[in-house]
């Protein structure tokens, strides 16, 4: 009988190879962005969320199954105590090529150098506006100056690449897209514009009223900048363009106007330990209960992850014009 080789690739029913894991290490955050959270959020009790050891253990299983990129996110990952130690540990996983982070930037001023030293290659930093009053309105609790300090600290720390992420909403910040591109160009960093996704109830607002499609954002930017298409593949859903004669790439993440599911290569681990197969569907597997009931049984964990690929949906079903069918907020999900 030929020897059975352990499986080293995760493949779903549609032939998509899953090699990218996004991990929400906390549902908590120091901001309350209007598109992400309600003003009064109830966060999960600490015993409901994975410990750092459990997060590492699950990540180890994924890397042994062929995942070569991990993004640490949240909530705001940098509010979780011990995050730098976790990053250091993950960086040591053999087979992991890219350890990257998403952050709102508020704590980067004091942490960027340690995060770089821990082995993080790239950081995505959220920045939706350059106007301090609008920043306060959009984040409810955030301070623009603190985030700008964080961006400067990240630049000084010398990451391989920094990218800004801007969620664009009509009448809130859609008039700032060119200024945001100029900000990125001046600093030689990339920027992605994101269409708002209907995840969780956020406030009384209808999301469709503030819908501002990528096609319009792109048109606005082209009034001031020349964009050249580039074949830049990050393994993400962005379509990228180079701003002519600059270092800056502009990306568009368009869940509504351009479905990106055909090339999906990712799954998510939520803060409470659910393996979420698609951002826009509820199909998930409870890995927390599994590893707490069978501590140390790595073979069972891997088998469960391999089996979970069979329920990865073909595509998301976001509809900006309907009440969200998905009651999970982006913060608990690992956006
Ligand atoms: N706190 C970190 C941050 O803000 O970058 C990481 C977590 S946050 C959930 C990750 C990304 O999701 C951010 O770029 C944020 O703008 C985006 N996001 C949150 N809610 C969203 C929504 N409803 N639609 C589209 N993007 C959203
Ligand atoms: Fe916090 Fe990020 Fe959500 Fe804003 S988008 S509330 S910074 S988790």
């Amino acid at each position: 009988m030929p020897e059975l080789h352990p499986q080293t690739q995760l493949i779903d029913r549609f032939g998509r190879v899953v090699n990218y894991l996004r991990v929400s290490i906390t549902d908590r955050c120091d901001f309350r962005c209007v598109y992400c959270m309600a003003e009064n959020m109830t966060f999960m009790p600490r015993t409901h969320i994975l410990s750092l050891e459990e997060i590492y253990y699950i990540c180890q299983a994924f890397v042994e199954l062929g995942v070569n990129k991990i993004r640490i996110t949240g909530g705001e990952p940098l509010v979780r105590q011990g995050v730098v130690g976790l990053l250091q540990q993950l960086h040591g996983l053999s087979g992991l090529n890219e350890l990257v982070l998403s952050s709102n930037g508020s704590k980067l001023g004091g942490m960027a150098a340690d995060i770089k030293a821990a082995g993080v290659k790239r950081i995505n930093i959220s920045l939706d506006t350059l106007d301090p009053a609008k920043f306060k309105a959009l984040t409810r609790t955030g301070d623009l100056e603190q985030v700008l300090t964080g961006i400067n600290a990240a630049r000084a720390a010398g990451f391989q690449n920094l990218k800004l992420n801007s969620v664009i909403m009509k009448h809130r910040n859609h008039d700032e897209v060119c200024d945001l591109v100029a900000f990125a160009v001046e600093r030689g960093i990339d920027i992605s514009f994101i269409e708002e996704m209907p995840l969780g109830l956020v406030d009384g607002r209808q999301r469709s009223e503030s819908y501002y499609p990528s096609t319009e954002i792109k048109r606005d930017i082209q009034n001031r900048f020349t964009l050249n298409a580039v074949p830049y593949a990050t393994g993400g859903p962005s379509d990228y363009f180079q701003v002519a004669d600059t270092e800056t790439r502009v990306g568009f993440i368009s869940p509504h106007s351009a479905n990106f599911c055909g090339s999906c290569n990712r799954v998510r681990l939520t803060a409470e330990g659910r393996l979420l197969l698609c951002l826009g569907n509820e199909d998930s597997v409870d890995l927390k209960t599994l590893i707490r009931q069978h501590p140390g049984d790595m073979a069972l964990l891997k088998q469960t992850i391999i089996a979970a690929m069979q329920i990865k949906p073909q595509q998301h079903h976001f509809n900006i014009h309907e009440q969200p069918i998905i009651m999970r907020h982006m913060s608990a999900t690992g956006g």
Side-chain angles (χ1 to χ4, degrees):
M1 266 220 354
E3 200 184 320
L4 282 179
H5 289 283
Q7 181 165 344
T8 51
Q9 234 186 8
L10 292 170
I11 305 180
D12 78 357
R13 286 176 293 157
F14 307 100
R16 295 173 297 192
V17 174
V18 171
N19 54 16
Y20 179 14
L21 176 68
R22 297 170 76 105
V23 183
S24 171
I25 64 167
T26 176
D27 61 332
R28 290 163 198 247
C29 185
D30 47 349
F31 291 3
R32 298 283 183 277
C33 299
V34 293
Y35 45 77
C36 179
M37 292 194 180
E39 190 153 14
N40 294 309
M41 289 289 289
T42 309
F43 294 109
M44 280 179 264
R46 283 183 199 278
T47 51
H48 286 211
I49 68 165
L50 294 176
S51 68
L52 295 177
E53 292 72 24
E54 288 170 331
I55 293 172
Y56 174 76
Y57 181 63
I58 294 175
C59 287
Q60 185 189 350
F62 271 97
V63 172
E64 288 176 13
L65 289 169
V67 161
N68 53 29
K69 175 175 175 182
I70 291 181
R71 175 173 300 280
I72 297 301
T73 178
E76 174 49 38
L78 301 188
V79 303
R80 176 124 192 212
Q81 287 223 335
V83 58
V84 174
L86 173 68
L87 292 168
Q88 265 165 358
Q89 251 197 316
L90 291 173
H91 180 241
L93 282 173
S94 164
L96 183 67
N97 299 333
E98 275 190 274
L99 178 61
V100 296
L101 179 79
S102 289
S103 170
N104 65 20
S106 70
K107 302 237 175 307
L108 278 176
M111 294 177 78
D114 288 346
I115 292 168
K116 173 76 173 52
V120 171
K121 264 195 186 160
R122 298 187 279 120
I123 308 189
N124 288 355
I125 305 173
S126 290
L127 183 69
D128 304 324
T129 172
L130 295 166
D131 175 312
K134 269 199 218 167
F135 190 87
K136 180 66 81 187
L138 283 177
T139 60
R140 295 197 183 101
T141 56
D143 173 33
L144 177 62
E145 205 48 51
Q146 204 180 339
V147 170
L148 297 181
T149 301
I151 293 173
N152 282 339
R155 289 174 65 216
F159 287 95
Q160 202 177 75
N161 194 10
L162 290 180
K163 181 161 79 79
L164 303 175
N165 274 339
S166 305
V167 176
I168 298 301
M169 289 161 290
K170 200 171 182 172
H171 305 310
R172 294 243 190 176
N173 62 347
H174 81 272
D175 55 339
E176 280 197 71
V177 294
C178 284
D179 292 344
L180 286 163
V181 172
F183 178 91
V185 166
E186 279 161 25
R187 288 157 184 78
I189 59 184
D190 294 337
I191 182 163
S192 277
F193 292 100
I194 308 174
E195 290 178 352
E196 187 182 0
M197 300 174 216
L199 289 174
L201 282 180
V202 281
D203 54 24
R205 171 177 68 94
Q206 283 289 335
R207 294 196 201 243
S208 58
E209 287 165 15
S210 50
Y211 176 50
Y212 200 69
S214 292
T215 44
E216 291 184 35
I217 301 172
K218 190 169 158 211
R219 184 206 56 204
D220 296 347
I221 295 171
Q222 283 172 318
N223 285 332
R224 203 159 125 195
F225 300 93
T226 302
L227 297 182
N228 298 320
V230 278
Y232 175 58
T234 56
S238 265
D239 273 340
Y240 277 99
F241 297 82
Q242 189 87 34
V243 182
D245 307 319
T246 77
E247 301 281 294
T248 296
R249 283 170 294 225
V250 176
F252 298 96
I253 301 177
S254 322
H256 307 291
S257 57
N259 189 287
F260 44 61
C261 302
S263 58
C264 184
N265 63 345
R266 66 201 49 205
V267 291
R268 292 171 165 82
L269 182 63
T270 70
E272 79 216 283
R274 266 199 305 147
L275 173 60
L276 191 66
L277 283 312
C278 169
L279 185 59
N281 286 280
E282 287 301 353
D283 306 73
S284 69
V285 175
D286 178 3
L287 295 184
K288 179 181 69 187
T289 302
L290 181 93
I291 62 170
R292 288 186 183 176
Q293 283 178 354
H294 303 274
D297 193 341
M298 184 56 102
L300 178 65
L301 173 59
K302 285 189 188 169
Q303 216 44 60
T304 307
I305 295 170
I306 292 166
M309 295 304 123
Q310 296 309 309
I311 60 164
K312 184 167 165 61
Q314 190 165 20
Q315 62 180 71
H316 70 69
H317 296 100
F318 289 138
N319 186 339
I320 198 85
H321 300 289
E322 290 173 359
Q323 279 289 319
I325 43 168
I326 293 174
M327 297 315 293
R328 140 175 71 70
H329 287 96
M330 187 72 115
S331 50
T333 298

